[in-house]
Amino acid sequence: MINLEKPHYDHILLDRLFQNILEDDIPSPGARYPDGDYFQYPEDLSVSGYRICWQLLNDGVDVKRFRFLVLNILLKGGTESVEQRQHFKYVRARFKHLRFACANFDRRHRYPWSLNLVTSLMGHMQDAFKNRQMARTRIFGAILFLTILPAFYALVRFQMRSFLPDSNKNMIAYHQRENAKIDSIVRREKITAHDFHDLRKIISRRVAFNDTFRVLHSSDYLDKISLYLADINGEMGDYHDRLVEKNISKPSSYKEDIFNLDRNISNRIIYLISGNR
């Protein structure tokens, strides 16, 4: 099994990675994809990429403190505290990033089911209290609380540590398969909110991959790619929030409503995946 604790990355690199995560959906109007070929992946990218993402979560989340926060919010059926909302958001961001790391760097290219469950419940609970849905906040909060109790969280920890490194060749093949999925969605005349959600998940995984890559191997080229990806991710995030709000008032709309994908978004995504990118 890969040693995820060592070598240990210093707080400067971990803080830089977390800052990248916080900025990965901020629109950057006018951001352009850089010219030239994509960076060659260094041989250790799979291991070093997963290791730093694991350390970001392991070092940055006090699970006992977070458990208390979840319990506090679910008992109240919500929270208006800026501090509590930020705490919840930051914990969820670290979990999401490790979940993306499992898809990006592990040779199975999938989310461990327990980690995915915990992270998804965080998302549902956050959507609920952001939209002042007391009943849904309590339901998702109660289930989330159970999954971060010591007995179940031990399984989450075990699956997070059960990392199988991938080769650069296989990672490139994985990205090409993801590109094919993106292409099949963005070229449709009409898409559903569910299609849009699937598309955004793939883009988010690519954003997370580049956020990690550029911390480990700093370059202006990778920084420009991140700006381009953040611009797409930010626009898609704003649109997805509106779809979630609509789904709350009309649950059937998420799978039944169809619409045209914004042309600016689709063109930028098509340019992203064109050629060997």
Side-chain angles (χ1 to χ4, degrees), residues 224-272:
K224 287 179 180 178
I225 292 176
S226 280
L227 286 176
Y228 188 85
L229 287 167
D231 193 48
I232 295 173
N233 199 37
E235 289 187 40
M236 295 184 74
D238 291 342
Y239 196 88
H240 186 256
D241 287 344
R242 294 193 293 272
L243 293 175
V244 169
E245 291 173 6
K246 185 177 181 182
N247 184 53
I248 289 170
S249 60
K250 184 187 174 186
S252 63
S253 67
Y254 200 71
K255 291 187 177 180
E256 294 177 359
D257 288 359
I258 59 173
F259 56 92
N260 292 311
L261 181 62
D262 180 90
R263 183 60 62 87
N264 180 57
I265 293 176
S266 62
N267 286 343
R268 290 172 73 78
I269 291 174
I270 289 171
Y271 187 78
L272 170 71

Side-chain angles (χ1 to χ4, degrees), residues 12 32 34 36 53 71 140 146 148 170 209 213 233 243:
I12 295 175
R32 296 175 61 86
C53 296
L71 181 61
F140 287 117
L146 293 175
I148 53 177
N170 286 340
F209 177 84
F213 192 1
N233 199 37
L243 293 175

Side-chain angles (χ1 to χ4, degrees), residues 67-81:
R67 193 182 301 140
F68 179 79
L69 172 65
V70 171
L71 181 61
N72 184 275
I73 295 175
L74 81 87
L75 289 176
K76 293 179 180 178
T79 179
E80 297 299 325
S81 166

Side-chain angles (χ1 to χ4, degrees), residues 143-162:
I143 303 171
L144 174 60
F145 182 76
L146 293 175
T147 64
I148 53 177
L149 287 173
F152 189 87
Y153 195 67
L155 172 62
V156 179
R157 290 271 301 174
F158 174 78
Q159 291 197 335
M160 288 192 299
R161 295 182 66 93
S162 300

Side-chain angles (χ1 to χ4, degrees), residues 168-228:
N168 289 348
K169 179 180 178 181
N170 286 340
M171 281 197 294
I172 291 171
Y174 166 72
H175 287 154
Q176 290 173 340
R177 292 194 299 273
E178 294 277 87
N179 286 352
K181 293 176 186 176
I182 292 173
D183 191 63
S184 70
I185 295 173
V186 297
R187 294 187 186 278
R188 293 174 194 169
E189 187 173 341
K190 300 279 187 179
I191 65 171
T192 66
H194 186 71
D195 293 330
F196 185 87
H197 181 63
D198 287 344
L199 177 62
R200 184 167 179 247
K201 285 193 295 186
I202 298 174
I203 295 296
S204 294
R205 287 194 288 268
R206 192 65 55 85
V207 171
F209 177 84
N210 202 73
D211 281 344
T212 305
F213 192 1
R214 71 188 179 115
V215 164
L216 295 169
H217 302 277
S218 180
S219 78
D220 181 63
Y221 185 81
L222 292 174
D223 288 344
K224 287 179 180 178
I225 292 176
S226 280
L227 286 176
Y228 188 85

Side-chain angles (χ1 to χ4, degrees), residues 112-137:
W113 71 266
S114 63
L115 175 61
N116 185 47
L117 175 62
V118 171
T119 309
S120 298
L121 287 168
M122 288 180 187
H124 290 310
M125 185 180 181
Q126 183 173 260
D127 285 340
F129 67 67
K130 281 172 60 178
N131 289 285
R132 295 177 173 82
Q133 296 178 294
M134 185 177 291
R136 286 173 64 87
T137 297

Side-chain angles (χ1 to χ4, degrees), residues 17-50:
L17 174 57
F18 192 60
Q19 189 60 40
N20 286 351
I21 295 168
L22 295 180
E23 296 174 355
D24 68 12
D25 61 355
I26 298 176
S28 302
R32 296 175 61 86
Y33 198 97
D35 295 328
D37 295 330
Y38 200 84
F39 255 40
Q40 292 291 320
Y41 295 169
E43 286 303 318
D44 68 338
L45 182 59
S46 171
V47 173
S48 59
Y50 191 83

